[in-house]
Amino acid sequence: MQQRIYNVPVPTGATPVYYYESNAWHRSSLYVQFRTNDWGLDHYLKWIGTSRDALKDGEITITGTQAAKVGWDLSGGQWAGTSLKAEDPHPSQNITVNFDEPGQPVVYVVSTVRFER
């Protein structure tokens, strides 16, 4: 259910997969980390409405505060990222991918849903 609310479809075969949900009065976020292969990354990006072309080299779209909340270390390495903004109440996503291991990208996603007051 969380994957549908936050629009984070994890590709088949991704492992390990980590989830953390943070809820507040006006906003909820789902933090997801998974390792996949090149096929899985391409399909994940397609499923959420984007492609690898949208990933900007060197871009880390997840804030330091967000990363610290779940213990992610996004320093060093080969990174690329993109952000998908959506109209409320649909989720907006910050996606950052680590390409340190060829053919085995690690995807970090923070998907946030905002609620009207």
Side-chain angles (χ1 to χ4, degrees), residues 10-81:
V10 176
T12 302
T15 182
V17 180
Y18 300 103
Y19 295 95
Y20 175 81
E21 187 175 14
S22 172
N23 296 300
W25 187 252
H26 299 290
R27 171 179 70 215
S28 291
S29 295
L30 181 67
Y31 296 70
V32 182
Q33 174 189 343
F34 59 89
R35 179 181 297 277
T36 189
N37 54 29
D38 290 331
W39 177 92
L41 175 61
D42 291 338
H43 280 77
Y44 163 72
L45 294 169
K46 181 180 177 183
W47 290 329
I48 63 168
T50 191
S51 70
R52 207 183 280 230
D53 292 338
L55 296 174
K56 296 179 186 116
D57 287 338
E59 185 85 16
I60 297 175
T61 59
I62 295 169
T63 68
T65 301
Q66 290 171 324
K69 182 175 260 190
V70 292
W72 289 343
D73 180 5
L74 305 180
S75 61
Q78 297 176 354
W79 299 94

Side-chain angles (χ1 to χ4, degrees), residues 104-117:
Q104 298 293 308
V106 179
V107 179
Y108 299 82
V109 181
V110 179
S111 181
T112 302
V113 177
R114 299 185 193 284
F115 306 107
E116 293 183 25
R117 300 197 242 178

Side-chain angles (χ1 to χ4, degrees), residues 77-91:
Q78 297 176 354
W79 299 94
T82 190
S83 293
L84 302 176
K85 302 299 179 198
E87 298 276 330
D88 294 337
H90 300 287

